[in-house]
Amino acid sequence: MNVLGIETSCDETGAAIVKDGRHLLSNVVASQAHLHARYGGVVPEVAARQHLEALVPVVEAALKEAGCRPQEVDAVGVTVGPGLPGSLLVGVNLAKALAYGWGRPLVAVNHLEAHVYANWLVEGFQPQFPALCLVVSGGHTDLVIMEGHGRFRALGRTRDDAAGEAFDKVARLLGLGFPGGPAIERRAQECPNPSLRLPRARLQGPFDFSFSGIKTHVARLLQGAYGPPPPTEEVAAAFQEAVVDVLVDRVVKAVRTHAVGQVLLSGGVAANSRLREELTRRSPVPVHAPPPFLCTDNGAMVAACAYFRLTELGETAPLDVDVQPGLRLG
Ligand code: KG4
Ligand code: ZN
């Protein structure tokens, strides 16, 4: 079964063809990062207009790359939320038109759930339920138990900034550009053992996160509030260590208190090699993470998720399905 997955929730225009929910036939992503770079973050109106220009060519390229004719597409999956309303509308409306025109089922996909399903695209991956999912992206930081296909139970989430958002904001403070995650990771490599230690927020909820305090601390540090500011690479490395430490700490706690068989890491920040390394080192159960190109937004994860929604749960969406910008997971 070939599923076309469409992703336009934020600033990547993505389309992919995935066979049987596991095999990547094509995966085309047009990034808009260069358009948003000068603003230091995603500008919603710019993003929606750019999706409008890029989406049809991206879908055509995904079909071509997969060697798949429209009549060989068995279902259309699309991200309906969470995300930017204008951006979501572009993807959802094209998906509806294609599903209607081709006479194929439409499947509505939760973007956060799609991130988790990127793990199914890794060859040889075997799910073991219940699994603990850490979804860390530019918009979300969620710790969720996956009890089975489509069955999620939230344990905790960020109370302020998402981890990726904190990377982006701190990169901006350091003048490292946008998106901030990869820029901070590269710069931090120049300082493998930072002597600077940034404070970690402690919250009441044992599985909740908070990153705005670390960001404010960096801002004060750079203003000279605690003496002459340390070199950029040291701040970048200390910030990365602090975020990774908080994320890994909550995951390890959750693994110890819930009988989970594995940890599934996903979302743009899951591309971070320090996070992957530390989580693998400290987790009592096996950790799985997609390759970095499947951690950031893409259509393949949407297609994989749609396949399991359709085949395991028999779920399809009506053609008047609406976008759900505030959708949650669990
Ligand atoms: O999942 P994603 O592509 O979009 C959202 O759903 O938000 O995540 C994008 C976020 C950005 O904040 C970006 O800075 C962060 O993921 N990111 C990283 C890395 N690569 C991307 N953060 C830390 N280290 C990285 N290597
Ligand atoms: Zn995402």
PDB file of all heavy atoms in Angstrom, residues 7 9 111-112 115 137-138 267-268 295-297 301, ligand 2:
ATOM      1  N   GLU A   7       3.025  17.386   4.526  1.00  0.00           N
ATOM      2  CA  GLU A   7       3.344  18.087   5.770  1.00  0.00           C
ATOM      3  C   GLU A   7       3.570  19.572   5.491  1.00  0.00           C
ATOM      4  O   GLU A   7       4.465  19.926   4.721  1.00  0.00           O
ATOM      5  CB  GLU A   7       4.616  17.445   6.370  1.00  0.00           C
ATOM      6  CG  GLU A   7       5.378  18.284   7.368  1.00  0.00           C
ATOM      7  CD  GLU A   7       4.565  18.677   8.588  1.00  0.00           C
ATOM      8  OE1 GLU A   7       3.799  17.833   9.093  1.00  0.00           O
ATOM      9  OE2 GLU A   7       4.678  19.839   9.025  1.00  0.00           O
ATOM     10  N   SER A   9       2.948  21.985   8.424  1.00  0.00           N
ATOM     11  CA  SER A   9       2.485  22.608   9.668  1.00  0.00           C
ATOM     12  C   SER A   9       3.294  23.822  10.099  1.00  0.00           C
ATOM     13  O   SER A   9       2.811  24.663  10.842  1.00  0.00           O
ATOM     14  CB  SER A   9       2.464  21.577  10.799  1.00  0.00           C
ATOM     15  OG  SER A   9       3.775  21.201  11.134  1.00  0.00           O
ATOM     16  N   HIS A 111       0.480  15.974  13.957  1.00  0.00           N
ATOM     17  CA  HIS A 111       1.902  16.195  13.651  1.00  0.00           C
ATOM     18  C   HIS A 111       2.839  15.553  14.689  1.00  0.00           C
ATOM     19  O   HIS A 111       3.891  15.010  14.341  1.00  0.00           O
ATOM     20  CB  HIS A 111       2.145  17.710  13.577  1.00  0.00           C
ATOM     21  CG  HIS A 111       3.554  18.093  13.277  1.00  0.00           C
ATOM     22  ND1 HIS A 111       4.083  18.037  12.012  1.00  0.00           N
ATOM     23  CD2 HIS A 111       4.560  18.508  14.088  1.00  0.00           C
ATOM     24  CE1 HIS A 111       5.349  18.425  12.057  1.00  0.00           C
ATOM     25  NE2 HIS A 111       5.660  18.723  13.311  1.00  0.00           N
ATOM     26  N   LEU A 112       2.454  15.599  15.960  1.00  0.00           N
ATOM     27  CA  LEU A 112       3.312  15.055  17.020  1.00  0.00           C
ATOM     28  C   LEU A 112       3.357  13.531  16.939  1.00  0.00           C
ATOM     29  O   LEU A 112       4.410  12.909  17.134  1.00  0.00           O
ATOM     30  CB  LEU A 112       2.814  15.513  18.395  1.00  0.00           C
ATOM     31  CG  LEU A 112       2.764  17.033  18.558  1.00  0.00           C
ATOM     32  CD1 LEU A 112       2.096  17.410  19.871  1.00  0.00           C
ATOM     33  CD2 LEU A 112       4.163  17.624  18.485  1.00  0.00           C
ATOM     34  N   HIS A 115       5.674  12.566  14.169  1.00  0.00           N
ATOM     35  CA  HIS A 115       7.083  12.564  14.577  1.00  0.00           C
ATOM     36  C   HIS A 115       7.452  11.213  15.192  1.00  0.00           C
ATOM     37  O   HIS A 115       8.499  10.644  14.888  1.00  0.00           O
ATOM     38  CB  HIS A 115       7.351  13.674  15.593  1.00  0.00           C
ATOM     39  CG  HIS A 115       7.757  14.975  14.955  1.00  0.00           C
ATOM     40  ND1 HIS A 115       8.836  15.083  14.108  1.00  0.00           N
ATOM     41  CD2 HIS A 115       7.238  16.231  15.061  1.00  0.00           C
ATOM     42  CE1 HIS A 115       8.961  16.345  13.713  1.00  0.00           C
ATOM     43  NE2 HIS A 115       7.994  17.070  14.270  1.00  0.00           N
ATOM     44  N   SER A 137      10.539  19.293  19.660  1.00  0.00           N
ATOM     45  CA  SER A 137      10.629  20.031  18.392  1.00  0.00           C
ATOM     46  C   SER A 137      10.702  21.524  18.669  1.00  0.00           C
ATOM     47  O   SER A 137      10.912  21.956  19.804  1.00  0.00           O
ATOM     48  CB  SER A 137       9.403  19.705  17.545  1.00  0.00           C
ATOM     49  OG  SER A 137       8.265  20.296  18.120  1.00  0.00           O
ATOM     50  N   GLY A 138      10.500  22.314  17.605  1.00  0.00           N
ATOM     51  CA  GLY A 138      10.531  23.765  17.759  1.00  0.00           C
ATOM     52  C   GLY A 138       9.276  24.280  18.451  1.00  0.00           C
ATOM     53  O   GLY A 138       9.281  25.343  19.057  1.00  0.00           O
ATOM     54  N   GLY A 267      11.272  14.301  16.720  1.00  0.00           N
ATOM     55  CA  GLY A 267      11.165  15.763  16.628  1.00  0.00           C
ATOM     56  C   GLY A 267      12.509  16.369  16.238  1.00  0.00           C
ATOM     57  O   GLY A 267      13.547  15.706  16.374  1.00  0.00           O
ATOM     58  N   GLY A 268      12.477  17.603  15.778  1.00  0.00           N
ATOM     59  CA  GLY A 268      13.688  18.247  15.269  1.00  0.00           C
ATOM     60  C   GLY A 268      14.875  18.193  16.217  1.00  0.00           C
ATOM     61  O   GLY A 268      16.014  17.940  15.793  1.00  0.00           O
ATOM     62  N   CYS A 295      14.084  13.386  11.594  1.00  0.00           N
ATOM     63  CA  CYS A 295      13.715  14.016  12.878  1.00  0.00           C
ATOM     64  C   CYS A 295      13.009  15.343  12.612  1.00  0.00           C
ATOM     65  O   CYS A 295      11.995  15.653  13.229  1.00  0.00           O
ATOM     66  CB  CYS A 295      14.958  14.280  13.721  1.00  0.00           C
ATOM     67  SG  CYS A 295      15.680  12.777  14.424  1.00  0.00           S
ATOM     68  N   THR A 296      13.558  16.140  11.703  1.00  0.00           N
ATOM     69  CA  THR A 296      12.918  17.416  11.377  1.00  0.00           C
ATOM     70  C   THR A 296      11.703  17.144  10.481  1.00  0.00           C
ATOM     71  O   THR A 296      11.543  16.041   9.954  1.00  0.00           O
ATOM     72  CB  THR A 296      13.929  18.351  10.677  1.00  0.00           C
ATOM     73  OG1 THR A 296      14.629  17.601   9.693  1.00  0.00           O
ATOM     74  CG2 THR A 296      14.931  18.901  11.668  1.00  0.00           C
ATOM     75  N   ASP A 297      10.838  18.153  10.330  1.00  0.00           N
ATOM     76  CA  ASP A 297       9.554  17.950   9.647  1.00  0.00           C
ATOM     77  C   ASP A 297       9.711  17.388   8.235  1.00  0.00           C
ATOM     78  O   ASP A 297      10.546  17.858   7.463  1.00  0.00           O
ATOM     79  CB  ASP A 297       8.798  19.282   9.591  1.00  0.00           C
ATOM     80  CG  ASP A 297       8.356  19.722  10.979  1.00  0.00           C
ATOM     81  OD1 ASP A 297       8.459  18.912  11.917  1.00  0.00           O
ATOM     82  OD2 ASP A 297       7.911  20.874  11.114  1.00  0.00           O
ATOM     83  N   MET A 301       7.071  10.856   7.601  1.00  0.00           N
ATOM     84  CA  MET A 301       6.527  10.490   8.921  1.00  0.00           C
ATOM     85  C   MET A 301       4.995  10.606   8.918  1.00  0.00           C
ATOM     86  O   MET A 301       4.305   9.833   9.585  1.00  0.00           O
ATOM     87  CB  MET A 301       7.155  11.360  10.021  1.00  0.00           C
ATOM     88  CG  MET A 301       6.819  12.843   9.926  1.00  0.00           C
ATOM     89  SD  MET A 301       7.718  13.803  11.166  1.00  0.00           S
ATOM     90  CE  MET A 301       6.755  15.339  11.163  1.00  0.00           C
TER      91      MET A 301
HETATM   92 ZN    ZN B   2       7.679  18.981  13.834  1.00  0.00          ZN
END
